[in-house]
Amino acid sequence: MDNLWVDSAIGAIKALAFMCDIITYPVYMLLQRPWERKRRSARLKADPTFLDRKTLSIRSKQVPQRSHLTLVRNNLDTMEKVFSYVGNRYADRPCLGTRVILAEEDEIQPNGRVFKKYVMGEYKWRTFKEAELQAKNFGKGLRSVGHKPEQNVAIFAETRAEWLIAAHGCFKQNMPVVTIYATLGEEAIIHALNETEVKMVITTHDLLPKFRAILDKTPLVETVIFMEDQLKPTDTSGFKSGVEILPFKQVLDVGSKSDYECNPPTAKDTAIIMYTSGSTGLPKGVILSHANMISVLKAFSDAVDIDTESDVFLGYLPLAHVFELLAESVCMMSGVMIGYSTPLTMIDTSSKIKRGTKGDASVLQPTALTAVPLILDRIYKGINDKVSQGGAFKKALFNFAFEYKRKWTRRGFNTHLVDRLVFKQVRRLLGGRVRLILSGGAPLSPDTHELIKICICEKVIQGYGLTETCACGTVMDGFDMSLGRAGAPTTVCDLRLTDWDEGNYRVSDKPFPRGEILIGGENVSPGYYKNPGKTQEDFFETDGMKWFRTGDIGECHADGVIKIIDRKKDLVKLQAGEYVSLGKVETELKTSPLVDNICVYGESIKDHVVALVVPNPVHLQALAVKLGIHNKTLEELCEDTTVEKAVLKELIAHGQKSKLEKFEIPTAIKMVPEAWTPDMGLVTAAFKLKRKDIQLKYQKELNRLYAS
């Protein structure tokens, strides 16, 4: 009876929508001019030129925009000059915002457990003038406590306003900044500190305790500066004798009274030595000059449309990665406010937000943010879970609205009424005003891309780059309506596809040229720190331009746009000769509600692949209940063969729905209850799989899967 009522109600809504479409179509056609939107989406975005039978070169047709021209006209060729410029130009405008934490309280959960939750206030803002002055004082403070220009300084800290101020303080004194992800393991941190011979480390109250163990293995470190906590005093006892532990505010105060002048860098000087949490071995230090960073500031400014008056940026991704650092720098260049957040406090249901109070996004109401596919995949699953739990009518209404908007969006129309009536509540997840999401770090699943565009934010722009190219390579055009593509080359670099015979990718392929991606231009790093062999292997110079061999495989479409289709390290050739792109398969299977993470594994002497699956606990429990299995822990469910078979069956169906080939879909799986985190050493700080480490840890299980 209920299903009959739902079907009748949805049928009536569809009939009403159809009548409205007929009546309003001519009006919307004239007002929205969808043919113009489709024309802009399909226009040629880059010029492809065959250099020879094995190489295709691609160059952007985009012209420099306002901020790019401002950088050139004002000779802003270093990050130090940029911050000085915006400090004067936008002096009294809010620049960096930090949310005030008023208290920490115990909150009793329904199961009786007690969690610590924050009672939070409003955002407190530094103006551009204040932020620039603090950076100046911090740099002078570093000089006052004994640090010299051109000596490396390490920042090992979570993303926050003080991170940016500390970095720019170093830039003002020409001190290269060694950036280390806050999620890196102890061995990687020690390696980065020792290799760069740093004497000074900047960290936070939360991370400072790690140095009680680390300092014994980093003999050159003499000073550790910590950014204070809003509520708790910092315990500075028990550290290695002879190492000075200083509060951030003390360094600012010392610098404000110092007679030291700024010691500005040149464009060729090193701005950052960025330690990438590589998928193999110890992290490598990538050298990035001020010229590299300024070139990408130009490229990103050309790629995104920023509104100085109304835009607000939400900063939460690691500033230790150049993608977030330069995205925030683009905002600063345009006078845009940056409000900081963390995954623990971002949304109303985040783990540190007191029940009934608002998360950072609800208070800040940002209009723009950066994201990585892992985060967008989680939002995708969260929306689907919420819809599934909302009852038959709400689920049917959402599905109708989704399909309705998808149909008209593909035709070039906006659907404002449906957005207000159905998707408004979903948009409130991130504050309700987000209009631009820039995604990078890995290819974004077309399904996730489309759902986020339809439900939350119309402009979800994918980009492609690597630390070695200063996070810059390609960016989607703002008018591009397609899904699953990485965009055309940016305005500051050229891109080439070159044959990779071993993987059977060639620029002569039809219908699209394919090959390994090479990126060349001012954005390309000088190389790896103290690693000439690897530098020579991955970088080369021709005709006065520096180039980097990415190891990624792309195909070039007719409009000059690149799609990332594979990676050399991810390609496995099976016994029968088929090639399996492990990363592509994982991207598709991760959109299954049952999967939190997955590593697909293949051997060339086998004719199929297998997989290790980190299941979603909620969905796994729900599946177990359907199978009549109750009162089992996550660990017990992962060992249950009945549950395992049911999960495999679901994955096979999901793979078929995602149009994966039969040989690409795992024939056996092993579920692992522990979530893979960077501190386990199984994923990078950007949550890319470290395949060799995963294989070593689970080799016995993988052998059993193939034996079965």
Side-chain angles (χ1 to χ4, degrees):
M1 189 67 181
D2 286 343
N3 287 340
L4 184 61
W5 178 85
V6 170
D7 291 342
S8 299
I10 295 298
I13 291 171
K14 287 181 178 179
L16 182 62
F18 180 70
M19 291 300 296
C20 288
D21 289 345
I22 293 173
I23 295 167
T24 59
Y25 183 79
V27 178
Y28 282 124
M29 179 69 82
L30 290 172
L31 290 176
Q32 295 189 11
R33 301 169 66 86
W35 63 89
E36 279 291 329
R37 192 176 178 187
K38 292 174 81 172
R39 182 190 62 80
R40 287 195 297 259
S41 176
R43 77 186 193 283
L44 187 66
K45 301 165 189 71
D47 286 319
T49 307
F50 285 95
L51 297 182
D52 54 48
R53 293 173 62 186
K54 294 195 170 190
T55 308
L56 176 70
S57 182
I58 312 157
R59 178 170 291 181
S60 173
K61 291 177 69 68
Q62 168 91 11
V63 296
Q65 301 298 298
R66 180 170 52 87
S67 291
H68 185 149
L69 297 173
T70 297
L71 288 162
V72 174
R73 287 168 184 158
N74 292 278
N75 191 32
L76 304 179
D77 59 356
T78 67
M79 296 298 286
E80 186 276 329
K81 287 182 181 178
V82 167
F83 206 26
S84 297
Y85 173 83
V86 298
N88 289 322
R89 180 171 180 182
Y90 304 112
D92 298 320
R93 190 190 292 266
C95 178
L96 306 179
T98 300
R99 197 164 176 204
V100 177
I101 302 173
L102 301 173
E104 190 176 46
E105 296 181 355
D106 290 340
E107 182 180 277
I108 301 174
Q109 305 304 301
N111 61 7
R113 296 178 67 186
V114 177
F115 289 157
K116 295 284 186 183
K117 300 282 185 173
Y118 287 143
V119 179
M120 305 191 76
E122 297 298 315
Y123 271 87
K124 184 178 179 181
W125 294 89
R126 294 172 172 89
T127 65
F128 276 84
K129 186 193 295 181
E130 289 167 344
E132 201 267 338
L133 179 60
Q134 284 193 348
K136 190 179 292 182
N137 288 339
F138 189 78
K140 290 161 66 178
L142 295 182
R143 296 285 302 276
S144 298
V145 298
H147 215 63
K148 297 181 176 63
E150 299 183 32
Q151 285 186 329
N152 297 334
V153 177
I155 301 183
F156 174 65
E158 303 98 341
T159 293
R160 52 193 284 175
E162 291 85 356
W163 198 109
L164 207 62
I165 287 166
H168 278 282
C170 293
F171 295 156
K172 286 182 177 295
Q173 296 295 337
N174 195 15
M175 297 173 182
V177 176
V178 178
T179 66
I180 306 172
Y181 284 115
T183 50
L184 278 185
E186 191 174 295
E187 183 186 5
I189 298 165
I190 292 166
H191 166 72
L193 296 178
N194 287 336
E195 185 171 75
T196 53
E197 301 177 40
V198 297
K199 296 181 178 181
M200 180 172 288
V201 179
I202 302 163
T203 188
T204 64
H205 165 91
D206 290 331
L207 294 173
L208 181 63
K210 285 195 172 193
F211 285 89
R212 287 193 176 95
I214 287 172
L215 288 173
D216 286 331
K217 300 170 185 174
T218 53
L220 296 178
V221 176
E222 299 172 351
T223 309
V224 178
I225 298 167
F226 65 91
M227 305 170 193
E228 300 90 337
D229 185 79
Q230 289 193 44
L231 298 177
K232 303 168 189 169
T234 304
D235 180 7
T236 58
S237 64
F239 289 89
K240 179 182 171 184
S241 176
V243 175
E244 195 170 17
I245 313 293
L246 300 173
F248 189 88
K249 288 176 183 174
Q250 183 179 325
V251 178
L252 280 177
D253 185 56
V254 169
S256 68
K257 300 167 185 172
S258 169
D259 293 329
Y260 281 108
E261 296 294 329
C262 289
N263 186 70
T266 67
K268 291 183 179 179
D269 283 325
T270 298
I272 285 178
I273 302 168
M274 185 159 285
Y275 274 80
T276 64
S277 50
S279 55
T280 57
L282 287 168
K284 300 186 291 291
V286 179
I287 302 167
L288 299 174
S289 68
H290 284 272
N292 291 149
M293 297 184 74
I294 293 298
S295 72
V296 179
L297 200 50
K298 294 172 182 174
F300 284 6
S301 296
D302 292 338
V304 295
D305 180 25
I306 296 289
D307 188 327
T308 300
E309 298 304 319
S310 65
D311 273 334
V312 180
F313 185 85
L314 179 69
Y316 70 99
L317 286 183
L319 275 165
H321 196 286
V322 72
F323 175 51
E324 177 72 11
L325 178 55
L326 283 166
E328 292 188 18
S329 298
V330 170
C331 292
M332 292 176 66
M333 187 65 203
S334 301
V336 169
M337 303 159 64
I338 302 169
Y340 287 98
S341 179
T342 76
L344 301 179
T345 61
M346 186 183 297
I347 61 175
D348 297 352
T349 55
S350 290
S351 60
K352 290 292 282 186
I353 295 295
K354 186 180 177 181
R355 195 183 300 120
T357 64
K358 292 185 180 297
D360 299 335
S362 295
V363 174
L364 186 67
Q365 294 188 313
T367 61
L369 60 119
T370 50
V372 292
L374 178 75
I375 290 170
L376 296 180
D377 284 341
R378 286 176 179 171
I379 293 173
Y380 169 95
K381 290 177 184 177
I383 292 171
N384 282 332
D385 289 349
K386 194 85 170 176
V387 170
S388 298
Q389 296 163 9
F393 176 72
K394 284 187 177 179
K395 184 176 181 180
L397 178 62
F398 180 89
N399 290 336
F400 162 71
F402 185 88
E403 292 301 327
Y404 179 88
K405 182 172 179 179
R406 173 156 62 177
K407 175 182 71 176
W408 287 107
T409 299
R410 288 177 175 178
R411 294 175 180 177
F413 288 91
N414 294 318
T415 57
H416 299 301
L417 186 60
V418 171
D419 288 341
R420 287 196 188 98
L421 294 176
V422 181
F423 298 121
K424 187 176 182 180
Q425 195 65 33
V426 183
R427 288 173 61 87
R428 283 181 182 161
L429 179 74
L430 293 174
R433 294 205 313 141
V434 175
R435 66 169 192 85
L436 173 64
I437 296 175
L438 186 62
S439 174
L444 183 60
S445 157
D447 288 343
T448 300
H449 194 171
E450 185 168 48
L451 184 134
I452 301 295
K453 283 185 73 169
I454 287 175
C455 298
I456 292 181
C457 171
E458 186 178 326
K459 273 194 178 179
V460 181
I461 296 178
Q462 269 201 84
Y464 163 72
L466 306 94
T467 306
E468 291 87 345
T469 65
C470 213
C472 176
T474 68
V475 180
M476 280 184 73
D477 183 87
F479 296 108
D480 194 341
M481 295 162 58
S482 65
L483 303 167
R485 304 196 300 170
T490 68
T491 51
V492 299
C493 66
D494 285 0
L495 190 145
R496 288 179 182 172
L497 297 183
T498 185
D499 284 1
W500 184 40
D501 294 327
E502 185 184 344
N504 204 28
Y505 291 114
R506 297 180 179 87
V507 296
S508 58
D509 289 346
K510 304 295 181 185
F512 304 120
R514 304 186 300 175
E516 181 184 0
I517 298 172
L518 313 181
I519 297 174
E522 293 179 2
N523 59 312
V524 177
S525 160
Y528 297 114
Y529 190 75
K530 292 185 179 178
N531 196 340
K534 188 63 176 167
T535 298
Q536 191 171 5
E537 181 184 332
D538 292 347
F539 296 85
F540 67 97
E541 192 168 323
T542 182
D543 299 327
M545 183 181 286
K546 194 74 180 276
W547 289 83
F548 176 69
R549 299 178 177 91
T550 68
D552 290 313
I553 307 300
E555 67 180 24
C556 180
H557 292 179
D559 57 353
V561 169
I562 294 295
K563 181 178 182 180
I564 310 300
I565 57 171
D566 215 334
R567 180 159 179 77
K568 279 186 173 182
K569 293 176 184 175
D570 288 353
L571 201 68
V572 174
K573 186 179 183 181
L574 298 180
Q575 190 180 44
E578 303 103 333
Y579 284 92
V580 178
S581 171
L582 304 177
K584 183 193 88 171
V585 175
E586 288 156 356
T587 297
E588 295 296 344
L589 295 183
K590 268 195 289 191
T591 59
S592 165
L594 280 165
V595 177
D596 265 1
N597 211 340
I598 185 168
C599 178
V600 179
Y601 177 75
E603 292 183 0
S604 57
I605 57 171
K606 304 291 183 180
D607 61 1
H608 60 283
V609 295
V610 297
L612 299 164
V613 176
V614 179
N616 179 281
V618 175
H619 286 280
L620 191 66
Q621 289 283 359
L623 179 63
V625 170
K626 284 183 181 178
L627 296 169
I629 299 170
H630 301 274
N631 302 320
K632 280 197 173 186
T633 65
L634 177 62
E635 288 75 13
E636 289 169 337
L637 290 176
C638 287
E639 294 296 329
D640 191 299
T641 54
T642 303
V643 176
E644 186 180 275
K645 287 176 182 176
V647 172
L648 178 59
K649 185 178 178 182
E650 292 280 344
L651 277 187
I652 291 171
H654 190 82
Q656 291 168 343
K657 179 185 169 187
S658 302
K659 295 183 171 57
L660 293 178
E661 299 290 343
K662 185 177 180 181
F663 61 83
E664 293 178 311
I665 300 173
T667 58
I669 63 167
K670 167 64 180 173
M671 290 191 291
V672 292
E674 62 266 32
W676 295 335
T677 57
D679 54 358
M680 289 177 67
L682 301 180
V683 294
T684 71
F687 287 90
K688 294 178 182 176
L689 298 180
K690 300 178 83 169
R691 295 190 187 280
K692 285 188 178 178
D693 294 289
I694 291 173
Q695 182 184 342
L696 285 172
K697 181 174 175 63
Y698 297 104
Q699 189 64 65
K700 288 182 181 178
E701 286 84 352
L702 292 168
N703 292 342
R704 280 196 212 105
L705 289 177
Y706 269 128
S708 67

